[in-house]
Amino acid sequence: QVQLVESGGRLVQPGGSLRLSCAASGGTFSNYAVGWFRQAPGKEREFVAGINKSGGNTYYADSVKGRFTISRDNAKNTVYLQMNTLKADDTAVYSCAAVVSYSGGVYTRARNYDYWGQGTQVTVSS
């Protein structure tokens, strides 16, 4: 129903910043809660950040709290992930995911989400 496309991933230096975008089409975007997940080779997929359908509530993994910010612009059908003070451990494929939300909550489990983008590579290295 909804299609998601991530963009913005690239090679950055430790301590640098990057903004990822998740563009949605094919659905009523304001009905969807959205989350960002990441996965490094050989590692489990992990939750990074989530935002509720209105944008009024967010939640972050402890590993990124204070460094990353999730936001959304429903008029543009886009969710963003601003990443600051990047570390080598942030290197991963970052994917966005969406689910129709009735409660207005933020969701932190991959199993909560129904729709996924293809992912974008973020590499933090000297």
Side-chain angles (χ1 to χ4, degrees), residues 39-120:
Q39 187 169 25
K43 300 298 181 78
E44 297 285 291
R45 179 173 52 193
E46 65 175 341
F47 170 79
V48 176
I51 191 164
N52 74 334
K53 61 185 180 180
S54 71
N57 291 107
T58 58
Y59 191 83
Y60 300 91
D62 287 344
S63 58
V64 307
K65 197 172 299 179
R67 299 188 298 122
F68 290 11
T69 303
I70 187 171
S71 62
R72 69 191 295 159
D73 186 340
N74 285 346
K76 294 182 178 179
N77 290 348
T78 302
V79 168
Y80 305 97
L81 185 68
Q82 178 67 48
M83 305 185 294
N84 298 325
T85 319
L86 283 160
K87 307 173 180 180
D89 286 348
D90 296 319
T91 296
V93 174
Y94 285 71
S95 300
C96 64
V99 63
V100 174
S101 173
Y102 302 98
S103 69
V106 179
Y107 307 101
T108 64
R109 303 285 299 277
R111 65 175 293 116
N112 295 150
Y113 291 92
D114 293 324
Y115 306 100
W116 292 80
Q118 83 289 348
T120 186

